[in-house]
Amino acid sequence: MNALAGGGTFATLPSLLALGLPANLANATSNVALLPGAGTSAWAFRDELAPLSGVSIKLLAAITFAGGLVGSVLLVLTPSRAFDVIIPWLVLYAFVVLAFGKSASGWLQRRVSIGRRTLLSAQMLLGVYGGYFGGGVGLMTTATYGLLAGHSPRELFAPRTLMLAVANLAAAVVFIAAGMVRWWACLPMLAGAVIGGWAGAHVGKKLPASVVRGWTLLVTGATVIVFFARAYG
C-alpha cells in the first residue's frame, strides 16, 4: 500500500489496536514496523531520485528528518487518552487527503506553482506530521509535490518514498529510545513490511495505483468510523 498509493498505516494501526495496544503505543509500533518496508521501497527507486523545483534531495531529506524528530517527540509527550481523542480527527484528515488530494493538487497546479521557500516549509510540516502520526502522509507528499509544474505522480514515486523512509527513521529513533515500541507485535509486522515494500516498489514501476488507492480509501474510511466510535461512542 505504501509503495503503490500510500496509506499502509491504515492496515497496521487498526491491527495493533485490535491486539489491545493503546493508540499512542500502537502508532509508535506501527511506525517502526513500517520503516524497513519504506527503506526497501526507497532503495528500489534510488535511480529515479532528482532535485525538485531546484531543491536537492539531500536538503529535503534533512528537513524531513528534523521535522520527524519534532513530531515524534510531540507524540511521546502526548498522554494516551489525549491521543485517543486526537487520532480520529487525524485519520479523518488523512482520509480527506486520500480522497481529494489528487484533484485538489491538479486544481492548484493550474493556478500556482511552489517556490523554493514554500516547498521547504511544506516539507518541514510534512516531516512533523509524519513523525507524529504519519497516516496518509505519502498522499499528502504526492499532493504537495504535484504543485511542481512538469512532474507527474509517477515521477514523484522516488522522492515521496524516500521522504517517508526518512520521517519514519527519525520517529523510530525517538520511539525506541522512549520505550514506546512493543517488539512482540512489531517484529512480525516488520518482516511483512520488508517483503511488501520491496514487492510494491517493483510492482509500482509497472502497475497503475488506482486499484490499490481505491482499496486504501475503503480501508481508511472504515478506520475513520471505528476510531470515532472508539473515542466518542
Side-chain angles (χ1 to χ4, degrees):
M1 290 172 68
N2 277 339
L4 290 174
T9 300
F10 301 116
T12 57
L13 189 57
S15 300
L16 292 167
L17 290 172
L19 289 172
L21 292 184
N24 57 346
L25 299 185
N27 189 56
T29 301
S30 170
N31 177 284
V32 175
L34 292 176
L35 173 59
T40 52
S41 293
W43 180 256
F45 285 126
R46 66 191 183 280
D47 294 335
E48 300 180 17
L49 290 171
L52 291 174
S53 192
V55 180
S56 73
I57 291 296
K58 290 182 179 179
L59 178 57
L60 288 173
I63 291 172
T64 302
F65 189 84
L69 289 176
V70 172
S72 54
V73 169
L74 288 175
L75 178 66
V76 171
L77 298 176
T78 303
S80 179
R81 178 53 193 161
F83 192 70
D84 285 342
V85 175
I86 294 170
I87 194 172
W89 298 100
L90 295 176
V91 178
L92 178 61
Y93 173 64
F95 176 75
V96 172
V97 172
L98 285 168
F100 303 108
K102 184 177 180 180
S103 57
S105 66
W107 183 87
L108 287 170
Q109 186 176 355
R110 291 190 293 271
R111 291 161 174 81
V112 299
S113 60
I114 290 181
R116 179 185 177 91
R117 291 183 180 178
T118 305
L119 175 61
L120 295 178
S121 298
Q123 190 63 53
M124 173 60 75
L125 292 175
L126 287 168
V128 172
Y129 179 83
Y132 186 79
F133 175 51
V137 69
L139 272 297
M140 295 175 194
T141 302
T142 299
T144 301
Y145 291 173
L147 296 175
L148 299 171
H151 290 278
S152 69
R154 176 62 188 83
E155 292 173 325
L156 299 175
F157 271 13
R160 180 203 69 190
T161 304
L162 177 62
M163 297 310 143
L164 290 178
V166 170
N168 274 18
L169 175 61
V173 171
V174 175
F175 295 152
I176 292 172
M180 295 182 68
V181 179
R182 295 299 176 260
W183 293 104
W184 61 267
C186 179
L187 292 178
M189 199 169 278
L190 187 150
V194 171
I195 298 171
W198 178 85
H202 286 279
V203 171
K205 293 181 177 182
K206 304 175 183 178
L207 184 69
S210 57
V211 174
V212 179
R213 180 177 178 274
W215 182 65
T216 303
L217 279 172
L218 180 63
V219 173
T220 307
T223 303
V224 169
I225 295 172
V226 170
F227 278 10
F228 269 99
R230 181 175 178 269
Y232 300 99

